[in-house]
Amino acid sequence: MQEQELVNAIAKLVVEQLKNVDVCDPKDRIPVGISARHVHLSQADLETLFGKGYELHKKKDLMGGQYAAQECVTIIGTKLRAIENVRVLGPVRKQTQVEVSATDAVRLGVKAPVRLSGDLAGSAPVTLVGPKGAIYLKEGCIVAKRHIHMSPEDAARFGVVDKQVVKVRFESGRGGTLEDVPVRVDPSFDLEMHIDTDEANGLGIAKDMGYLIK
C-alpha cells in the first residue's frame, strides 16, 4: 500500500469513530489538549545527544511536574525518513520514549503501536539525532493512546476511578464520539483529555471541550 493510501486509511478509521451519538451534560465537560509529537529522554541519552553533563532548559511548564524544554531533536525512521525539530519534554526519565501520531509513523516508515505512556515493550525502533550525537532505539516509539488526566477530586466529581475506560463526545467541529478512553488519576494532574493531532484534525478540534460519558 502506498504512503498516501495509508494516510487515507488512517483518516477513514478516525472518521468512523465519530458516528456515535450520545447525550451530553454540561457538568461533564472536559478541556482537551492536543499533544503534538515529542520525545522524553533518559539522562544517558540526553548526554549522548547534547553533550556530557547536559541539562534541559525549561521553556513552558506542563502538568504533573513536566515541562516543554527548549531543546529539539530529529527523529529518523526507516530508509532515512526524518522529522526535524521535535520537542523534548522534561524532566529526564528512566527510559527514552518517542511519541508520534499515526500519520507521523507512516511518514517515518515505522509501525508504532498505540500505547499509554511508559508501555514500550516491543514498540517501534527509531534513531534520534541531536547536536552532539545520535542514538538508535531498538524500541521506544509509540502512538500515544488518548486518555484523560484527573485529580482525585475530579475523579470523585465525575464518579470514575483510575484506569476506568470511558467515552468522550464532541459537539464542535465535525462532532463525534471517541471511545476506549482510559482515565488516569493522580494528585499532580489537572483535568484535561489528551488526544493527538490526527484525532484533533478528524474531529475538527482547536480549543474545544469534550463531554465525558460513562
Side-chain angles (χ1 to χ4, degrees):
M1 185 179 291
Q2 296 297 314
E3 195 166 308
Q4 186 58 51
E5 292 176 327
L6 284 170
V7 173
N8 291 340
I10 291 168
K12 183 178 180 180
L13 287 172
V14 172
V15 171
E16 285 297 318
Q17 297 182 65
L18 311 182
K19 294 181 178 179
N20 298 326
V21 177
D22 295 286
V23 177
C24 298
D25 189 326
K27 70 179 178 60
D28 294 327
R29 294 198 307 169
I30 292 178
V32 178
I34 302 168
S35 182
R37 64 181 80 101
H38 60 272
V39 174
H40 302 274
L41 295 173
S42 68
Q43 182 62 39
D45 289 342
L46 173 65
E47 293 188 15
T48 298
L49 296 173
F50 290 91
K52 187 172 179 60
Y54 194 88
E55 296 182 0
L56 292 172
H57 298 82
K58 185 182 296 186
K59 179 183 174 106
K60 178 182 178 181
D61 284 313
L62 304 173
M63 75 169 67
Q66 295 191 87
Y67 58 87
Q70 296 178 19
E71 290 75 13
C72 294
V73 297
T74 296
I75 306 173
I76 300 179
T78 60
K79 299 180 181 178
L80 298 181
R81 297 177 181 177
I83 298 178
E84 299 179 335
N85 298 317
V86 180
R87 184 71 55 190
V88 176
L89 300 191
V92 293
R93 293 190 174 188
K94 291 182 179 179
Q95 184 175 358
T96 293
Q97 174 175 303
V98 179
E99 298 182 37
V100 299
S101 70
T103 298
D104 289 336
V106 171
R107 178 176 169 183
L108 291 167
V110 300
K111 296 181 179 179
V114 178
R115 301 275 185 84
L116 287 173
S117 179
D119 183 5
L120 303 180
S123 55
V126 290
T127 297
L128 299 180
V129 180
K132 299 293 185 179
I135 55 172
Y136 172 73
L137 302 175
K138 292 183 179 179
E139 59 184 19
C141 183
I142 63 172
V143 174
K145 184 179 180 65
R146 54 182 175 259
H147 57 277
I148 301 172
H149 289 285
M150 289 187 186
S151 67
E153 293 76 17
D154 287 324
R157 178 166 62 87
F158 282 97
V160 297
V161 297
D162 188 42
K163 297 183 175 64
Q164 182 172 340
V165 177
V166 298
K167 298 188 293 184
V168 179
R169 172 72 183 172
F170 298 89
E171 293 187 331
S172 56
R174 296 178 178 179
T177 301
L178 289 176
E179 301 186 359
D180 190 25
V181 183
V183 174
R184 309 184 74 179
V185 180
D186 189 271
S188 67
F189 289 162
D190 298 320
L191 179 63
E192 189 171 67
M193 179 180 182
H194 286 177
I195 61 176
D196 69 15
T197 50
D198 282 349
E199 292 164 325
N201 290 337
L203 291 161
I205 285 178
K207 294 182 179 179
D208 298 294
M209 304 286 282
Y211 295 82
L212 186 147
I213 302 168
K214 290 181 287 184

